Amino acid sequence: MKAKVMTAILAAFMLTMTACGTISPPIQNAVTETTTTTAESIYDSAASSEDEKIKTDTFIAEFFDSDISFVDTSELVAEAMKGCSFDNEIDDSNGVQKITLKGTNGGGSVEVMCIDLSKSGLSYDMEYILENLGNHYFSQTAAQMNGITEDDFVSSYRMTSSVVSKGKYQRYGSVQKSDGMATQFGYTETYAVLSENKLTVVSGAFLSSDMMERQSFSGLMSKFANNVKY
């Protein structure tokens, strides 16, 4: 009897705390008739199993081995880079525009590409392509921040949504790391949109000892996102 009373008290306490916002998931899943959106904290997810990694690696290999072609993104890059406060160089090779950024106290890069999937023959659905390719580019991009590990991320977010024939993926994380002498501020983001058989991907990372430079880079990534048609 005492155990039942304690269980009831605990359940009431949890309900009260959730209502106060103390115990609640940071992001809720939302589903409507035309839109499906899922979002989650990166660290709320269990580590991928070896089987899942093999499946992802297999998909990535199939994706790039399929009949895909790259579409010019120079107009998108030019528009997003207007008024950019960083010194920058743009290298356009193999269908990918890589923008190297340099600030007073740090640096980073952004890669932009648009892939035509109309002849690819891939059997995967839209959300699967966005989720796996997006995670692939996010991991590669985040790894460019030397000396930064997953534990250094102070905020993180991941979202995949679809509306009828269009899909969008976004994943980003902020970094703050101190060694007692100096603090490093970082930001990394991957944004991808699949529409009309064209997949546009913008993926970038920046690391600096100046928090304002991190904010400027975050603003630059927002400008890229705003210029990708969805």
Side-chain angles (χ1 to χ4, degrees):
M1 178 67 178
K2 185 181 291 186
K4 292 182 178 179
V5 173
M6 290 300 293
T7 300
I9 293 173
L10 180 59
F13 174 75
M14 292 292 287
L15 181 60
T16 302
M17 296 297 282
T18 302
C20 294
T22 306
I23 302 175
S24 61
I27 304 162
Q28 297 293 329
N29 293 343
V31 179
T32 67
E33 290 184 0
T34 58
T35 306
T36 302
T37 303
T38 58
E40 60 181 333
S41 169
I42 296 170
Y43 307 118
D44 288 342
S45 302
S48 297
S49 67
E50 188 63 27
D51 286 344
E52 289 172 334
K53 184 179 184 306
I54 291 173
K55 284 177 63 178
T56 300
D57 290 347
T58 300
F59 161 74
I60 296 299
E62 288 182 8
F63 181 89
F64 286 106
D65 193 45
S66 65
D67 189 7
I68 60 175
S69 59
F70 289 86
V71 180
D72 179 51
T73 57
S74 57
E75 185 176 340
L76 166 62
V77 170
E79 188 63 31
M81 291 296 291
K82 285 181 179 178
C84 178
S85 60
F86 299 111
D87 292 335
N88 62 86
E89 293 182 2
I90 302 176
D91 176 33
D92 185 1
S93 60
N94 298 321
V96 179
Q97 293 212 40
K98 182 171 183 177
I99 308 158
T100 302
L101 304 168
K102 186 177 180 180
T104 305
N105 300 286
S109 64
V110 181
E111 291 192 0
V112 184
M113 70 203 77
C114 182
I115 305 171
D116 188 343
L117 304 180
S118 58
K119 298 179 181 179
S120 66
L122 293 169
S123 59
Y124 301 97
D125 62 35
M126 182 192 321
E127 289 188 26
Y128 189 89
I129 291 174
L130 281 170
E131 185 79 15
N132 284 275
L133 201 68
N135 287 340
H136 169 74
Y137 275 107
F138 181 87
S139 297
Q140 282 196 330
T141 304
Q144 296 176 19
M145 294 188 292
N146 293 330
I148 299 300
T149 67
E150 189 175 276
D151 293 336
D152 300 318
F153 280 78
V154 293
S155 67
S156 58
Y157 176 82
R158 177 169 57 192
M159 178 272 292
T160 303
S161 64
S162 62
V163 180
V164 190
S165 61
K166 296 184 291 187
K168 179 170 62 177
Y169 169 100
Q170 185 178 25
R171 182 172 175 179
Y172 59 78
S174 294
V175 169
Q176 184 168 327
K177 182 178 183 178
S178 176
D179 60 5
M181 299 288 290
T183 301
Q184 292 289 304
F185 302 95
Y187 183 79
T188 182
E189 179 175 349
T190 298
Y191 183 82
V193 169
L194 179 55
S195 178
E196 297 179 349
N197 285 320
K198 288 184 175 60
L199 174 65
T200 304
V201 180
V202 181
S203 192
F206 195 94
L207 189 64
S208 173
S209 59
D210 185 346
M211 183 187 292
M212 296 304 295
E213 287 191 343
R214 177 178 70 179
Q215 292 178 338
S216 294
F217 178 74
S218 174
L220 176 63
M221 293 301 291
S222 294
K223 285 183 65 178
F224 272 106
N226 291 336
N227 281 281
V228 178
K229 293 180 180 179
Y230 175 68

mmCIF file of all heavy atoms in Angstrom, residues 69-98:
data_model
loop_
_atom_site.group_PDB
_atom_site.id
_atom_site.type_symbol
_atom_site.label_atom_id
_atom_site.label_comp_id
_atom_site.label_asym_id
_atom_site.label_seq_id
_atom_site.Cartn_x
_atom_site.Cartn_y
_atom_site.Cartn_z
ATOM 1 N N SER A 69 24.134 14.725 -61.185
ATOM 2 C CA SER A 69 24.939 15.785 -61.795
ATOM 3 C C SER A 69 24.822 17.026 -60.937
ATOM 4 O O SER A 69 23.857 17.200 -60.184
ATOM 5 C CB SER A 69 24.457 16.073 -63.220
ATOM 6 O OG SER A 69 23.084 16.462 -63.219
ATOM 7 N N PHE A 70 25.815 17.904 -61.045
ATOM 8 C CA PHE A 70 25.842 19.107 -60.234
ATOM 9 C C PHE A 70 25.332 20.309 -61.023
ATOM 10 O O PHE A 70 25.610 20.450 -62.206
ATOM 11 C CB PHE A 70 27.261 19.375 -59.723
ATOM 12 C CG PHE A 70 27.702 18.403 -58.663
ATOM 13 C CD1 PHE A 70 28.277 17.189 -59.017
ATOM 14 C CD2 PHE A 70 27.525 18.686 -57.325
ATOM 15 C CE1 PHE A 70 28.672 16.278 -58.047
ATOM 16 C CE2 PHE A 70 27.921 17.784 -56.345
ATOM 17 C CZ PHE A 70 28.491 16.586 -56.712
ATOM 18 N N VAL A 71 24.575 21.153 -60.331
ATOM 19 C CA VAL A 71 23.988 22.352 -60.921
ATOM 20 C C VAL A 71 24.754 23.563 -60.394
ATOM 21 O O VAL A 71 25.168 23.599 -59.230
ATOM 22 C CB VAL A 71 22.496 22.460 -60.549
ATOM 23 C CG1 VAL A 71 21.870 23.715 -61.163
ATOM 24 C CG2 VAL A 71 21.747 21.210 -60.991
ATOM 25 N N ASP A 72 24.932 24.557 -61.225
ATOM 26 C CA ASP A 72 25.686 25.753 -60.855
ATOM 27 C C ASP A 72 25.016 26.490 -59.690
ATOM 28 O O ASP A 72 23.807 26.723 -59.702
ATOM 29 C CB ASP A 72 25.791 26.691 -62.059
ATOM 30 C CG ASP A 72 26.556 27.962 -61.728
ATOM 31 O OD1 ASP A 72 27.664 27.847 -61.186
ATOM 32 O OD2 ASP A 72 26.033 29.052 -61.996
ATOM 33 N N THR A 73 25.815 26.854 -58.692
ATOM 34 C CA THR A 73 25.297 27.571 -57.523
ATOM 35 C C THR A 73 25.927 28.959 -57.366
ATOM 36 O O THR A 73 25.819 29.577 -56.309
ATOM 37 C CB THR A 73 25.562 26.767 -56.231
ATOM 38 O OG1 THR A 73 26.980 26.519 -56.115
ATOM 39 C CG2 THR A 73 24.804 25.457 -56.235
ATOM 40 N N SER A 74 26.586 29.445 -58.400
ATOM 41 C CA SER A 74 27.292 30.724 -58.293
ATOM 42 C C SER A 74 26.352 31.879 -57.958
ATOM 43 O O SER A 74 26.712 32.795 -57.202
ATOM 44 C CB SER A 74 28.056 31.014 -59.589
ATOM 45 O OG SER A 74 27.182 31.014 -60.706
ATOM 46 N N GLU A 75 25.136 31.859 -58.505
ATOM 47 C CA GLU A 75 24.181 32.931 -58.226
ATOM 48 C C GLU A 75 23.767 32.918 -56.761
ATOM 49 O O GLU A 75 23.679 33.976 -56.114
ATOM 50 C CB GLU A 75 22.946 32.774 -59.118
ATOM 51 C CG GLU A 75 21.952 33.923 -58.983
ATOM 52 C CD GLU A 75 20.777 33.798 -59.947
ATOM 53 O OE1 GLU A 75 20.901 33.068 -60.954
ATOM 54 O OE2 GLU A 75 19.743 34.438 -59.689
ATOM 55 N N LEU A 76 23.509 31.720 -56.226
ATOM 56 C CA LEU A 76 23.146 31.580 -54.818
ATOM 57 C C LEU A 76 24.266 32.096 -53.924
ATOM 58 O O LEU A 76 24.030 32.850 -52.969
ATOM 59 C CB LEU A 76 22.855 30.112 -54.501
ATOM 60 C CG LEU A 76 22.787 29.708 -53.023
ATOM 61 C CD1 LEU A 76 21.664 30.434 -52.317
ATOM 62 C CD2 LEU A 76 22.618 28.195 -52.897
ATOM 63 N N VAL A 77 25.494 31.696 -54.227
ATOM 64 C CA VAL A 77 26.648 32.104 -53.425
ATOM 65 C C VAL A 77 26.849 33.616 -53.478
ATOM 66 O O VAL A 77 27.066 34.279 -52.458
ATOM 67 C CB VAL A 77 27.926 31.369 -53.889
ATOM 68 C CG1 VAL A 77 29.167 31.954 -53.225
ATOM 69 C CG2 VAL A 77 27.816 29.878 -53.591
ATOM 70 N N ALA A 78 26.765 34.182 -54.679
ATOM 71 C CA ALA A 78 26.970 35.618 -54.835
ATOM 72 C C ALA A 78 25.956 36.422 -54.035
ATOM 73 O O ALA A 78 26.298 37.432 -53.396
ATOM 74 C CB ALA A 78 26.893 35.995 -56.317
ATOM 75 N N GLU A 79 24.710 35.976 -54.050
ATOM 76 C CA GLU A 79 23.653 36.699 -53.338
ATOM 77 C C GLU A 79 23.853 36.603 -51.823
ATOM 78 O O GLU A 79 23.715 37.604 -51.103
ATOM 79 C CB GLU A 79 22.290 36.124 -53.720
ATOM 80 C CG GLU A 79 21.100 36.908 -53.199
ATOM 81 C CD GLU A 79 21.018 38.321 -53.757
ATOM 82 O OE1 GLU A 79 21.450 38.548 -54.901
ATOM 83 O OE2 GLU A 79 20.513 39.209 -53.028
ATOM 84 N N ALA A 80 24.168 35.409 -51.334
ATOM 85 C CA ALA A 80 24.332 35.216 -49.892
ATOM 86 C C ALA A 80 25.575 35.912 -49.352
ATOM 87 O O ALA A 80 25.604 36.336 -48.195
ATOM 88 C CB ALA A 80 24.387 33.721 -49.570
ATOM 89 N N MET A 81 26.602 36.062 -50.184
ATOM 90 C CA MET A 81 27.865 36.635 -49.728
ATOM 91 C C MET A 81 27.896 38.160 -49.795
ATOM 92 O O MET A 81 28.871 38.780 -49.374
ATOM 93 C CB MET A 81 29.016 36.076 -50.566
ATOM 94 C CG MET A 81 29.296 34.600 -50.330
ATOM 95 S SD MET A 81 29.861 34.241 -48.647
ATOM 96 C CE MET A 81 31.491 34.998 -48.675
ATOM 97 N N LYS A 82 26.839 38.773 -50.287
ATOM 98 C CA LYS A 82 26.796 40.238 -50.340
ATOM 99 C C LYS A 82 26.909 40.817 -48.930
ATOM 100 O O LYS A 82 26.168 40.442 -48.035
ATOM 101 C CB LYS A 82 25.489 40.707 -50.989
ATOM 102 C CG LYS A 82 25.432 40.531 -52.487
ATOM 103 C CD LYS A 82 24.118 41.053 -53.052
ATOM 104 C CE LYS A 82 24.060 40.902 -54.580
ATOM 105 N NZ LYS A 82 22.756 41.365 -55.126
ATOM 106 N N GLY A 83 27.850 41.731 -48.755
ATOM 107 C CA GLY A 83 28.019 42.362 -47.454
ATOM 108 C C GLY A 83 28.706 41.500 -46.420
ATOM 109 O O GLY A 83 28.708 41.841 -45.228
ATOM 110 N N CYS A 84 29.293 40.372 -46.831
ATOM 111 C CA CYS A 84 29.971 39.472 -45.892
ATOM 112 C C CYS A 84 31.137 40.203 -45.220
ATOM 113 O O CYS A 84 31.955 40.842 -45.885
ATOM 114 C CB CYS A 84 30.481 38.235 -46.626
ATOM 115 S SG CYS A 84 31.401 37.086 -45.568
ATOM 116 N N SER A 85 31.228 40.091 -43.898
ATOM 117 C CA SER A 85 32.250 40.824 -43.142
ATOM 118 C C SER A 85 33.586 40.091 -43.084
ATOM 119 O O SER A 85 34.578 40.657 -42.612
ATOM 120 C CB SER A 85 31.749 41.072 -41.714
ATOM 121 O OG SER A 85 31.479 39.845 -41.049
ATOM 122 N N PHE A 86 33.629 38.846 -43.560
ATOM 123 C CA PHE A 86 34.863 38.065 -43.506
ATOM 124 C C PHE A 86 35.653 38.186 -44.814
ATOM 125 O O PHE A 86 35.063 38.294 -45.896
ATOM 126 C CB PHE A 86 34.549 36.583 -43.268
ATOM 127 C CG PHE A 86 33.838 36.302 -41.978
ATOM 128 C CD1 PHE A 86 32.518 35.877 -41.980
ATOM 129 C CD2 PHE A 86 34.481 36.446 -40.756
ATOM 130 C CE1 PHE A 86 31.843 35.615 -40.796
ATOM 131 C CE2 PHE A 86 33.828 36.189 -39.562
ATOM 132 C CZ PHE A 86 32.500 35.778 -39.581
ATOM 133 N N ASP A 87 36.979 38.153 -44.700
ATOM 134 C CA ASP A 87 37.789 37.965 -45.897
ATOM 135 C C ASP A 87 37.471 36.577 -46.438
ATOM 136 O O ASP A 87 37.332 35.618 -45.662
ATOM 137 C CB ASP A 87 39.282 38.050 -45.556
ATOM 138 C CG ASP A 87 39.702 39.453 -45.151
ATOM 139 O OD1 ASP A 87 39.024 40.412 -45.560
ATOM 140 O OD2 ASP A 87 40.691 39.589 -44.409
ATOM 141 N N ASN A 88 37.330 36.454 -47.740
ATOM 142 C CA ASN A 88 36.923 35.152 -48.264
ATOM 143 C C ASN A 88 37.526 34.864 -49.625
ATOM 144 O O ASN A 88 37.839 35.777 -50.390
ATOM 145 C CB ASN A 88 35.395 35.049 -48.333
ATOM 146 C CG ASN A 88 34.781 36.074 -49.268
ATOM 147 O OD1 ASN A 88 34.667 35.851 -50.472
ATOM 148 N ND2 ASN A 88 34.404 37.238 -48.716
ATOM 149 N N GLU A 89 37.682 33.588 -49.882
ATOM 150 C CA GLU A 89 38.108 33.090 -51.186
ATOM 151 C C GLU A 89 37.157 31.978 -51.590
ATOM 152 O O GLU A 89 36.761 31.153 -50.761
ATOM 153 C CB GLU A 89 39.539 32.555 -51.137
ATOM 154 C CG GLU A 89 40.594 33.622 -50.892
ATOM 155 C CD GLU A 89 42.004 33.042 -50.911
ATOM 156 O OE1 GLU A 89 42.131 31.816 -51.150
ATOM 157 O OE2 GLU A 89 42.962 33.805 -50.686
ATOM 158 N N ILE A 90 36.787 31.941 -52.871
ATOM 159 C CA ILE A 90 35.843 30.942 -53.364
ATOM 160 C C ILE A 90 36.522 30.047 -54.383
ATOM 161 O O ILE A 90 37.079 30.519 -55.368
ATOM 162 C CB ILE A 90 34.600 31.611 -53.988
ATOM 163 C CG1 ILE A 90 33.900 32.508 -52.963
ATOM 164 C CG2 ILE A 90 33.633 30.549 -54.512
ATOM 165 C CD1 ILE A 90 32.720 33.278 -53.522
ATOM 166 N N ASP A 91 36.477 28.747 -54.107
ATOM 167 C CA ASP A 91 37.046 27.752 -55.017
ATOM 168 C C ASP A 91 35.897 26.931 -55.594
ATOM 169 O O ASP A 91 35.142 26.298 -54.838
ATOM 170 C CB ASP A 91 38.033 26.851 -54.270
ATOM 171 C CG ASP A 91 38.573 25.734 -55.159
ATOM 172 O OD1 ASP A 91 38.733 25.969 -56.367
ATOM 173 O OD2 ASP A 91 38.813 24.626 -54.644
ATOM 174 N N ASP A 92 35.747 26.961 -56.898
ATOM 175 C CA ASP A 92 34.670 26.227 -57.567
ATOM 176 C C ASP A 92 35.281 25.045 -58.322
ATOM 177 O O ASP A 92 35.925 25.212 -59.350
ATOM 178 C CB ASP A 92 33.939 27.150 -58.536
ATOM 179 C CG ASP A 92 32.726 26.488 -59.166
ATOM 180 O OD1 ASP A 92 32.450 25.316 -58.830
ATOM 181 O OD2 ASP A 92 32.062 27.131 -60.002
ATOM 182 N N SER A 93 35.103 23.863 -57.789
ATOM 183 C CA SER A 93 35.659 22.672 -58.437
ATOM 184 C C SER A 93 34.775 21.468 -58.177
ATOM 185 O O SER A 93 34.179 21.330 -57.100
ATOM 186 C CB SER A 93 37.077 22.385 -57.933
ATOM 187 O OG SER A 93 37.081 22.174 -56.534
ATOM 188 N N ASN A 94 34.666 20.600 -59.187
ATOM 189 C CA ASN A 94 33.873 19.367 -59.092
ATOM 190 C C ASN A 94 32.427 19.629 -58.684
ATOM 191 O O ASN A 94 31.811 18.826 -57.975
ATOM 192 C CB ASN A 94 34.520 18.392 -58.102
ATOM 193 C CG ASN A 94 35.909 17.971 -58.540
ATOM 194 O OD1 ASN A 94 36.157 17.756 -59.728
ATOM 195 N ND2 ASN A 94 36.824 17.871 -57.590
ATOM 196 N N GLY A 95 31.885 20.764 -59.113
ATOM 197 C CA GLY A 95 30.486 21.066 -58.840
ATOM 198 C C GLY A 95 30.209 21.634 -57.474
ATOM 199 O O GLY A 95 29.070 21.941 -57.139
ATOM 200 N N VAL A 96 31.245 21.781 -56.642
ATOM 201 C CA VAL A 96 31.074 22.280 -55.282
ATOM 202 C C VAL A 96 31.808 23.605 -55.131
ATOM 203 O O VAL A 96 32.976 23.726 -55.495
ATOM 204 C CB VAL A 96 31.624 21.276 -54.243
ATOM 205 C CG1 VAL A 96 31.447 21.828 -52.831
ATOM 206 C CG2 VAL A 96 30.945 19.924 -54.388
ATOM 207 N N GLN A 97 31.111 24.606 -54.594
ATOM 208 C CA GLN A 97 31.753 25.883 -54.310
ATOM 209 C C GLN A 97 32.163 25.899 -52.841
ATOM 210 O O GLN A 97 31.311 25.826 -51.943
ATOM 211 C CB GLN A 97 30.808 27.041 -54.608
ATOM 212 C CG GLN A 97 30.497 27.182 -56.085
ATOM 213 C CD GLN A 97 30.270 28.627 -56.504
ATOM 214 O OE1 GLN A 97 30.953 29.541 -56.059
ATOM 215 N NE2 GLN A 97 29.291 28.826 -57.364
ATOM 216 N N LYS A 98 33.466 25.963 -52.597
ATOM 217 C CA LYS A 98 33.964 26.027 -51.228
ATOM 218 C C LYS A 98 34.446 27.432 -50.941
ATOM 219 O O LYS A 98 35.311 27.965 -51.635
ATOM 220 C CB LYS A 98 35.107 25.032 -51.002
ATOM 221 C CG LYS A 98 35.613 25.038 -49.562
ATOM 222 C CD LYS A 98 36.593 23.912 -49.281
ATOM 223 C CE LYS A 98 37.008 23.931 -47.807
ATOM 224 N NZ LYS A 98 37.917 22.816 -47.464
#
